[in-house]
Every structure is written in structure tokens, then in C-alpha cells.
Amino acid sequence: MKVLLSWMQEFAPGIDGDPAELAAQLTDLGLVVESVDETGPAWDGIIVAKVLDLAPHPDADRIQVVQVDTGGASALDGTEYVAGEPLQICCGAFNMAVGDLVPLATLGTTMPNGMEIAQRPMRGQMSNGMLCSGAEIGLDDDHDGIRILDPSLPLGAPLAEALGSTSDVVFDIDVEGNRPDALSVAGVARDLAAKLGVPFSFGDYAVAESGAPAADRASVTIESNELCARFAARVLDGITIGTSPQWMQDRLTAAGMRPISSIVDISNYVMLEQGVPNHTYDLALVPDGALSTRMAREGERITTLDGQDRALIPADGVITNAADEPIGLAGVMGGASTEISDATTSVVVEAAVWDRMTIAWTSRRLDLRSEASTRFERGADPMAVERALDRFCQLAQELCGASVAPGTIVAEGGYAPNEPIPVRTERVNLILNLSLSTPDWVALVEAIGFECSNVTDAGADVLIPSWRPDATGEIDVIEEVGRHHGYAKSGKRVPVPEQTGALTPDQLGRRRIRRAFMAAGLSEAMPMAFLAPGDLAAAGLPDDGIRLSNPLVAEESVLRTSMLPGLLKSVAYNQSHRATEIALFELGAVYLPGEWSEESPLPEQPEQVCAIVAGADASEAVQLLHRLAADLGLDLQIVNDELAGLHPTRAASVIFRGRPMGQVGEVSPAVLDAYGVTGRVGWLQLDVAAMLAGLGSVPKMKAVSTYPSSDFDLAFVVPNDVPVNDIVRSLKRAGGNRLRSVDLFDVYPPNPADRPDGKRSLAFRLRFQADDRTLDDEALGKLRDACIELVTKRHKGELRG
């Protein structure tokens, strides 16, 4: 919505000041100003001149020599002209006649397109300026001929002064769907005037009435109250169709509408100003002047003003004549059969308020979006139709010489006046986090037309005006208080909703466990909890799963005692589809066999979280375990062990607080063969209940050292029965807080049985870094010696050369 400052000032003269400040006030009201532009003609140096003589150019067929009278005006470059003395101009247009008034760009003028006017010879004839077309000075789109001006304009006057064109400020406002009142100049002015604390009022739209009463020459009828809230009309005679004055054309153009003719321009002007769309009919083409509204009937058709023949459906609203024929699409577009023409002298102008959803449906179905349909869809003011028609008649009398028939014809439809709404002061302050008294907030809403009664300390009854169909309840009134008091003045407060439910600590813990596995790069899988007979045995596990008495299929007849078979099937399936890099985890229950009783009729169902990583060995599975333990705040140890389904020398039990809580290692090659899985596969299984009991606090971020780190490798020969985890713990103890990481990167020989002395070599890469300085060789040497000493002492290890 584009709104001119001067137009708003007609309703509230006190709206004045810096345009940027006014734009900020509008934005604070929720009417977001997207741009502020200064508009007006760039006509400095262009004057009104009179054609004195026309003569052909002696050496050019397409140029004529024109003598003009400047009326004694001066050129922009200071050249003095003498009134009545001919000034020669060479011109390529031939639509002028002697005596015509034309716009003359004098020497020194810069045209709107940037061209500078100077004295120039044209085929031997000197041209002392330029006669302008309407397109060259922005008056119209005509490039073909010189603009012929009104003969009553003063000779020699600046063109802007003669045409009454002045500069103005245009606010381009983004109007939200819940503010239909702001789709009018008056609506925006009302809001801004209230914000600034200046008076607002509509003008006096009194018209001189004459002739027979309008009700004797026309009638309006509402057949569908659901379609139309109110329908009003007035009759005008003696209309002269012509061009609207320049000031009106300027305002319409600045508002984004194209001037067409006097009556059409007045109609659009009133719609933009008052927010009430209207439509004019050639009274001679409306039998008996009868207008009626109803829903369309199946099979009816209408030719609209754009010349399109359109099929109607019962969901469309129509305006009909005395013969019950559609002559207009309600709220969308008029019909061609009653269109205004240059021969029109009498019109009936109507203004109505239509059902919003009907207009929205029709305009979208027919792809006929217009300024009028937009206003009807959002909600027009039912009580403003008479005022809008009076304004139309006033302008038509002034600009078209119209006579207005006495009286306004009004039909009442489905409009129901608003009822007062109780608004509680306590609620106003609670929602807005303010401490307003009832008179404080009452004054704010009364300034924008809300009527308040029964005002007490506790609150007031508020009657919402007819131009605010978006406001229907107490909360809407509170929103208006907030807008005009200023949301920036409201205290900052985070609303605390009522807590109707929450996750239990265990549910929160499970979510944290899942996030830790996903952060480690694993995807969650959800295999079936049912296995086929023999799946457990194929996985190297005891084949003692609970069998179902009524399985849907035999392949799903055994409850799982481990997640290993199901996850192995997932890996095998993915590998069969050439997806080799598979890393999955699952959190769920397993079902253990045992003695049941009436007190415990169900099997034991511990929760586990398991991970399977294709292409990973035991050391990578251990690294995954260490990462998860760090993320979850768990202090875990691992102890070498022989576990069912896992590699006999590459498996370990996971110990937490002195008790086993899971297993880690590689899946046995025999198991992998049984499931058709290729490559090495890492495995991790943890008890969820133990994890939930031991979850630590979420790790806090630590500052990253800006000093360089240093790596060195240590290889120890230790007995086979010394767990890798024990050596890692010793290295961390010796290295202290400067040891940032320990990685096992080599085990030799891979199979301990290949070394007869019962020992193996473990190679570690250690990374050291300080937070406050660069570690020199001396400091690193001491740290290295401390690590070697502690490992050799505690674990009977030898440093490998």
C-alpha cells in the first residue's frame, strides 16, 4: 500500500515532520514501511509555450520549424526571452496547430531521462530548446506526438506550477492480512494520528442535490444476506467524461494506479482514500436502474470488463439487472454490458460489502486479482459505504460537472453490529507486561475509534468499530493497546507455560545416549525383535531363545536374546546392495529365558544399546567405546575375555563400577561367514540401565590451545594378559593434563599365539600440548620418561627399540 504524506494530511494536518521519523512511527505500529520515496515531476526549466507558426524544414522532410511564444519566461541557463517574440524550435512531431499550448524544455534543462537541452543546429536550422511529448516528461505513455496542454493554462508559467503538480513523500507500507483498515489512506492516517497524538477527522463531503429522488430512478436489492452485508447506490446525471486533473493523476500514479478517465479515476481515488471499493454503471444500460445481488446459478455466463466470457458457478456472487441477468461479478469485476463510455451522461454508482470468502474463492478461481477484491477479501467497512458514495459524488460534481439525485439508496443484508467486549485491565498488563491503569489503555484505543463504556479500575467494555473486522475479542483489543503504547516499552519477560508433562530422567537419558551414538557417525537401526530358528546358533550364541506359540511366520518365531543376529542381517543386506561402509546402532530390549511365575509372568527384558561397524577391527570398536564414554561421562574399563559370538582373542568385557556392563571387540569370522558378511566387523554392546545410572554431566566446552602440539610413538612389549586399557590408563596418569590423546596404532603379532614367549608388542602414539606455552624438548623428554617408567614398572613392560 503506497500512501502519500499530503493525502494523509488532509485527514490529520498535524502529521508532519521528518519522513524518516514518520516511517519509524508507522513501522512501530506494525505498518512496516519498506521504502520512503520523494515523488514529483522533474520539470525544472520546462515552461508553457504557445505555437505561433509552423513551417517545413527546408532540408528535412521529417522535421518542421516551429515558432513559439515563451510568454517572457527565462531559460534555465539564464537566457532571457521576450514575451510575444518568436523562439525557433526544430521538432519532429507534426500533431500541433497554431495556437496550441505545449511544454517547452528551455536551454539548460535536464530531462527526466538525463538528456541536457542545449542550442543545437538541425540541418542548418537552429533549435533553441525542445518541445516535449507526454512520455518525455512522465505525463503519459504517448511517444508519438507533442503533449497538447489545456488552453487555459498561463503562458510562460513553469509547467509544474501550471499543472498543479508538486513534490510529495510516498510511504510504501507492507500491510499484513489482519489490517484491512490500513488498505486506505484514511486508515493509515487514523493510526498515525493516534500515535502522534494529533486530531483526525474525515472531510465534509456535502453535495448539492437536485432533480428527482434517486429512489425513483434506481433500486438495490439483496437476495442473499450471506453474500452481501450492505448495498448502497447513488444516481448522477450530466456527467462529462474527460481527463482527471493533474493532481489526481499524480496521486493515483504515486499510489501505483494508472489514470484512465475522470469517472474511473474518481472511483479508484475514493477506493484508495476511503478503503471502500465502488463501481459505476451506465444508467442508460441498466433497465429501470434496478440492481440486485445473489449467488450465481449453474450455467450462467458473463462477459467482464476485460472482454472475457466467463462461466459462473453457484459459489460466485453476482449483481443482476431487472431481467435477473448477471451484469457484474460481485466484488471482483464489472460486466461489459453496462460499461461507462465517452457517451455516458448518467450513472448509478454502487458500494457494497461482500462476503470475504466468496470474493476470495471467485477471484482465485478466475485468476482475477484486483485492488477491490483484495480489500473485500480482508474485510471492508459496512458502515462506510454512504460516506464513500458521498465522496464520489462530491468529486464528480467538482471534476465532471455532475448533478446528484437526492438521497442514497441502501439495502440491508447480513451485517450484524458488534457487541461490547469486556476487557480486563489485569489481563492487559499481564499480556503486555505493563502497569497501565484503565484510563491509560482506554485513551489509547479510543484514539483509533474504539468506544469504551463502563470504565472502572478493573476494566471497561469496548465496542470494536465496524472498520476492524479483524478484531473480535479481548486479546485483539490488548494487541491494539500494545501497538499504540509501543511494544518497545513493554518489559522483557519470557512467558512460563503450564507444564502439563515432561520426559522422565530415563527418557532424557535414552535421548542423550542416542545423540552420542549419532554424533559418533552411526545410524540408528530398528530390526525386528523376532528371529528365525537357528539365527542365535549361527551367531555363536546359545540357542535358547523363547519360542512363540503362534508366530505369524516361522522366520519370526523366536524372541531375540541378543541384538547381534538382527544387526548382522542388516549389514549383510547392505553389503548385498554394495553399501560397504555400514555403521549402525540399536537401542531396545532383549528377552532372556528363565523361570517364570504368576508373580513374574514375563521374561526378563533388559535394555541394551549395541553398535556394529563393518570394516572395523577390535581397536576401532574400543576407540568408539572410549568416545562414547567421554561424551556420556562414563568411567569404563575393558578386560580381555572370551565371549560368545566374538573373536576369541579380540574381545573384552566392559566393566563399570566393578561390574560387567557390556562387551566390545570383533565379531567371530565363523559368525560372519554364517551370515554372509565380508571383512572385519567391530561390535559393541552396553547395558542401558547401567549407563542411565552412571550418566555424567554434559561435557563442557574447553578452550582450544593456541600453542603447537607434539607427537611421539612408544612401543612396549608386554605379557599377553595385560589389557591395553590398563596401559592406556597408566600413560594418561603419567602424562597428566598435557597428554591430549593416546592412540593404539599397532599390535604385533596380530595373533598372540604366533609368539612363543607369551608376549606382544603394543605401539601407541601420544600427543602432548600445553595451554600456556610451547613444550620444549626438555619438557617433552621428561614426559616421555615418566610414561616409560610407569608402564615398565606397573605392567612388566619393556620399551621396544
Side-chain angles (χ1 to χ4, degrees), residues 21-207:
E21 285 295 325
L22 296 177
Q25 296 282 10
L26 287 167
T27 299
D28 194 45
L29 286 169
L31 303 174
V32 179
V33 177
E34 296 187 333
S35 65
V36 179
D37 301 305
E38 187 169 339
T39 184
W43 293 345
D44 289 345
I46 302 178
I47 64 172
V48 178
K50 183 178 181 178
V51 177
L52 297 177
D53 184 57
L54 299 168
H57 192 289
D59 297 316
D61 295 338
R62 297 185 179 182
I63 300 176
Q64 65 176 335
V65 179
V66 185
Q67 304 295 331
V68 298
D69 181 2
T70 63
S74 299
L76 194 63
D77 68 353
T79 302
E80 297 288 340
Y81 297 138
V82 179
E85 181 176 312
L87 179 71
Q88 180 170 295
I89 308 292
C90 294
C91 181
F94 292 83
N95 64 316
M96 297 166 287
V98 173
D100 283 343
L101 295 185
V102 292
L104 169 65
T106 62
L107 302 178
T109 299
T110 300
M111 298 297 289
N113 64 1
M115 181 177 69
E116 295 184 4
I117 303 302
Q119 192 177 54
R120 293 186 178 89
M122 298 183 70
R123 295 289 186 92
Q125 296 293 320
M126 188 62 66
S127 182
N128 298 288
M130 186 181 82
L131 303 183
C132 306
S133 68
E136 288 170 328
I137 55 178
L139 279 175
D140 54 42
D141 297 328
D142 186 3
H143 291 267
D144 296 332
I146 300 303
R147 174 66 181 253
I148 307 301
L149 301 175
D150 188 324
S152 65
L153 297 182
L155 181 64
L159 184 63
E161 177 183 318
L163 295 179
S165 295
T166 58
S167 61
D168 210 334
V169 176
V170 181
F171 300 96
D172 189 356
I173 301 173
D174 181 15
V175 179
E176 298 294 338
N178 67 332
R179 289 299 307 281
D181 63 303
L183 289 174
S184 68
V185 175
V188 176
R190 180 194 291 113
D191 233 19
L192 184 55
K195 183 72 172 178
L196 298 176
V198 299
F200 166 88
S201 65
F202 286 95
D204 180 12
Y205 304 142
V207 294

Side-chain angles (χ1 to χ4, degrees), residues 105-385:
T106 62
L107 302 178
T109 299
T110 300
M111 298 297 289
N113 64 1
M115 181 177 69
E116 295 184 4
I117 303 302
Q119 192 177 54
R120 293 186 178 89
M122 298 183 70
R123 295 289 186 92
Q125 296 293 320
M126 188 62 66
S127 182
N128 298 288
M130 186 181 82
L131 303 183
C132 306
S133 68
E136 288 170 328
I137 55 178
L139 279 175
D140 54 42
D141 297 328
D142 186 3
H143 291 267
D144 296 332
I146 300 303
R147 174 66 181 253
I148 307 301
L149 301 175
D150 188 324
S152 65
L153 297 182
L155 181 64
L159 184 63
E161 177 183 318
L163 295 179
S165 295
T166 58
S167 61
D168 210 334
V169 176
V170 181
F171 300 96
D172 189 356
I173 301 173
D174 181 15
V175 179
E176 298 294 338
N178 67 332
R179 289 299 307 281
D181 63 303
L183 289 174
S184 68
V185 175
V188 176
R190 180 194 291 113
D191 233 19
L192 184 55
K195 183 72 172 178
L196 298 176
V198 299
F200 166 88
S201 65
F202 286 95
D204 180 12
Y205 304 142
V207 294
E209 299 178 337
S210 62
D216 293 345
R217 304 177 58 197
S219 63
V220 294
T221 307
I222 298 176
E223 294 184 17
S224 173
N225 288 342
E226 292 76 17
L227 171 64
C228 186
R230 300 186 80 228
F231 193 19
R234 298 205 70 167
V235 176
L236 298 89
D237 297 301
I239 289 176
T240 301
I241 306 294
T243 303
S244 57
Q246 191 63 44
W247 64 265
M248 180 175 282
Q249 293 187 42
D250 289 344
R251 283 189 171 179
L252 291 173
T253 301
M257 302 198 77
R258 182 172 61 89
I260 298 174
S261 67
S262 55
I263 283 294
V264 175
D265 290 353
I266 290 171
S267 176
N268 289 331
Y269 188 90
V270 171
M271 176 186 66
L272 293 174
E273 180 184 81
Q274 304 290 324
V276 180
N278 56 84
H279 186 68
T280 53
Y281 302 82
D282 189 327
L283 186 58
L285 302 177
V286 182
D288 301 325
L291 299 176
S292 183
T293 69
R294 62 170 172 82
M295 303 305 295
R297 301 187 182 106
E298 195 68 48
E300 286 187 313
R301 307 187 71 86
I302 185 174
T303 300
T304 47
L305 287 173
D306 58 2
Q308 297 294 314
D309 179 57
R310 304 182 186 276
L312 303 177
I313 63 174
D316 299 324
V318 294
I319 300 171
T320 61
N321 58 17
D324 201 27
E325 300 168 336
I327 58 173
L329 270 174
V332 179
M333 184 176 284
S337 63
T338 57
E339 183 177 4
I340 301 294
S341 67
D342 292 343
T344 299
T345 58
S346 297
V347 301
V348 55
V349 54
E350 59 87 357
V353 175
W354 308 100
D355 174 62
R356 289 187 279 178
M357 294 310 298
T358 299
I359 305 307
W361 166 257
T362 299
S363 64
R364 283 167 174 75
R365 184 181 71 83
L366 298 177
D367 195 21
L368 276 175
R369 304 287 296 165
S370 65
E371 293 283 347
S373 67
T374 297
R375 285 161 175 78
F376 285 129
E377 288 176 26
R378 297 190 181 185
D381 181 6
M383 303 310 295
V385 293

Side-chain angles (χ1 to χ4, degrees), residues 209 296 313 515 524 585 592 734:
E209 299 178 337
I313 63 174
R515 286 195 297 269
E524 186 169 8
F585 80 94
L592 305 181

